Amino acid sequence: MLRRAIPFCASRNAHFGLRHKSSGGRRPKKKTYHRVAELDRVMELRKKPLMILQLTSLVQCQPHGSPLFLWDLEKNVGFVRKWAFMALIDKHPSIFRVAGTPPSVSLTARSRTLAQEEAHARTSMEPLLVTNLRKLLMLCVDCKLPLQKVELVGPQLGLPSDFKDCLIPKYPQFFRVRPFRGRDCLLLEDWDSTLAVTSRETRLAQEGVVNMKANGDRRKVKISRDGNYLGPFAFKMNFPAGFRPNVGYLEQLERWQKLEFPSPYLNARRFDSADPKARKRSVAVIHELLSLTMEKRMTSAQLEAFHAECLLPSQLLLCLIKHQGIFYLTNKGERSTVFLKDAYIGSNLIDKCPLLQFYEKFMALCGRGNIDLSDNMNSLPTVI
């Protein structure tokens, strides 16, 4: 394990994972991105539960409550995935029941009763969805976002697949759909200053440090080895195991933690992107975007989609790697995913919304819990 830490202020042309020339005839050093096994495990654990919930939705969507014939399964999931679903049915008799001629699959009485609670979970989620959608628009420079991008991140936010018809029209005081340059965009109708508070600021308020002066205490103190500092502009750090920051890195990190920066909810056009305060504000914007999702994570493609609206850093990948105490980038699963590290303890999400609590309760039928399941479940039809 290399003990040389990644410099906090990385070069703009740095390429992680490549060997660089060194002087003095020494062996070249390789800059290392440290893996977090617990967060990688989150991506591994979600595969089977997601298939179970997809199959449950297919069974529930059958007309007149009729069972799903096994010969129709291929029409819904394809020939290859059909065999994986059939193996899943056989492995979980506590959830699925196969009967009749020709054979069909239905939910057991217990799983059918529990599945009916999803409608209640989604109803209780609605106020949170509306608030988070308003905050998302407030983060955008013009308080508007193409509907296509809202649909892209909709499953992560917890939005139902038909939110354009069932959610947006219910709140005309907050939202309006309007064409702009050939695309339908969702516009914010009302700016609410009380919502312009980030999750980071909320946490600091709970810890009683939000009103501290940034440079109020100038006494010389021992540098924190974990990078965490008390202050109104500090981020919670969680370095990966095996990461050994040297004193120089920690000194630079301390100065960065104490650096003031504008609120992510202020218009990004007001700031020079080369200003260190503006660069730190960009980190806060990414932090807030991830905080608005149900599971405090997005795929890299979803995060990249906000480049224009939120004026994210041009080298977004480098920014995420550079701040590995705040974010974690994993390539596990079908797509690379960005995690907000302070939202997790090990592999477990700290705060779970009602919909995630329902998913976890349902998966307990087959002995699986504490699993994140949002990626594709909200794209499936909701049965009420």
Side-chain angles (χ1 to χ4, degrees):
M1 181 64 69
L2 297 175
R3 291 185 174 270
R4 184 177 180 180
I6 300 173
F8 184 71
C9 295
S11 168
R12 291 177 60 86
N13 297 319
H15 295 279
F16 292 87
L18 299 179
R19 294 187 178 274
H20 300 275
K21 292 183 179 180
S22 62
S23 59
R26 294 178 299 175
R27 183 179 179 181
K29 298 292 184 180
K30 185 170 68 173
K31 295 181 178 180
T32 306
Y33 187 71
H34 296 268
R35 292 293 170 189
V36 180
E38 293 86 356
L39 295 180
D40 285 340
R41 184 170 176 265
V42 171
M43 303 305 297
E44 295 293 331
L45 289 176
R46 56 179 288 278
K47 296 177 181 178
K48 187 178 290 186
L50 182 57
M51 289 181 63
I52 291 175
L53 291 170
Q54 287 176 327
L55 182 56
T56 300
S57 292
L58 286 176
V59 173
Q60 287 182 289
C61 288
Q62 297 306 301
H64 311 297
S66 59
L68 173 66
F69 290 104
L70 291 182
W71 62 38
D72 290 332
L73 190 58
E74 183 177 333
K75 300 177 184 178
N76 292 281
V77 300
F79 176 77
V80 175
R81 297 190 71 205
K82 174 187 72 173
W83 301 106
F85 276 98
M86 291 182 69
L88 202 67
I89 293 170
D90 184 59
K91 195 172 182 179
H92 297 285
S94 61
I95 299 178
F96 305 109
R97 182 173 64 91
V98 178
T101 304
S104 62
V105 59
S106 60
L107 298 179
T108 63
R110 186 180 178 188
S111 62
R112 184 169 57 251
T113 301
L114 190 56
Q116 293 172 353
E117 297 180 13
E118 181 179 0
H120 174 71
R122 289 187 178 275
T123 300
S124 62
M125 274 281 292
E126 188 167 303
L128 178 63
L129 293 179
V130 172
T131 297
N132 286 350
L133 190 55
R134 294 170 68 190
K135 289 169 72 77
L136 178 64
L137 293 173
M138 289 169 65
L139 286 172
C140 301
V141 288
D142 295 316
C143 295
K144 74 172 184 291
L145 195 62
L147 271 177
Q148 184 180 7
K149 295 188 178 182
V150 181
E151 293 172 346
L152 177 65
V153 299
Q156 304 305 116
L157 296 175
L159 295 174
S161 57
D162 57 348
F163 74 93
K164 291 183 292 185
D165 301 318
C166 72
L167 185 67
I168 301 301
K170 288 176 63 175
Y171 299 94
Q173 70 274 30
F174 299 143
F175 310 113
R176 177 163 55 101
V177 177
R178 179 182 176 184
F180 182 77
R181 294 182 181 178
R183 294 190 298 178
D184 287 338
C185 293
L186 183 64
L187 278 72
L188 182 69
E189 285 287 278
D190 176 62
W191 178 279
D192 188 349
S193 298
T194 62
L195 296 181
V197 180
T198 66
S199 63
R200 185 193 64 86
E201 292 170 329
T202 301
R203 178 182 62 82
L204 290 175
Q206 293 172 350
E207 296 174 356
V209 298
V210 77
N211 293 321
M212 290 176 58
K213 294 182 179 179
N215 297 313
D217 188 357
R218 297 181 180 273
R219 291 176 298 173
K220 186 68 175 178
V221 296
K222 186 177 180 180
I223 297 174
S224 171
R225 294 293 300 178
D226 62 5
N228 287 300
Y229 301 88
L230 286 178
F233 301 101
F235 288 81
K236 186 175 181 180
M237 294 287 170
N238 185 8
F239 291 137
F243 183 69
R244 301 291 185 267
N246 56 32
V247 174
Y249 180 97
L250 292 172
E251 288 176 343
Q252 293 183 61
L253 178 58
E254 181 181 10
R255 290 193 292 271
W256 186 84
Q257 286 277 50
K258 294 178 179 179
L259 180 67
E260 299 181 20
F261 65 93
S263 169
Y265 287 99
L266 295 177
N267 196 313
R269 294 196 183 102
R270 298 169 53 181
F271 313 110
D272 181 6
S273 60
D275 187 345
K277 295 182 179 180
R279 291 201 296 268
K280 187 174 181 181
R281 178 191 174 276
S282 297
V283 174
V285 171
I286 299 172
H287 187 286
E288 187 68 0
L289 284 172
L290 295 174
S291 296
L292 295 178
T293 63
M294 287 199 302
E295 299 169 277
K296 319 308 177 192
R297 64 176 176 85
M298 284 187 186
T299 66
S300 298
Q302 289 170 329
L303 199 55
E304 289 272 2
F306 290 95
H307 255 301
E309 285 75 19
C310 297
L311 300 186
L312 296 181
S314 57
Q315 294 181 316
L316 181 58
L317 177 61
L318 182 60
C319 178
L320 296 171
I321 293 174
K322 177 179 172 181
H323 296 284
Q324 59 180 310
I326 304 173
F327 311 113
Y328 178 62
L329 183 65
T330 179
N331 290 322
K332 297 292 183 179
E334 297 177 358
R335 295 156 292 182
S336 62
T337 303
V338 182
F339 282 86
L340 184 60
K341 297 180 79 172
D342 63 15
Y344 285 81
I345 296 179
S347 299
N348 295 321
L349 184 66
I350 298 173
D351 296 321
K352 298 177 182 177
C353 64
L355 193 56
L356 288 181
Q357 291 174 7
F358 162 75
Y359 290 155
E360 193 169 279
K361 185 177 179 181
F362 188 84
M363 291 311 304
L365 289 177
C366 60
R368 300 290 294 272
N370 297 324
I371 307 298
D372 58 334
L373 301 158
S374 74
D375 268 1
N376 297 311
M377 284 306 300
N378 294 286
S379 63
L380 297 173
T382 302
V383 179
I384 299 177

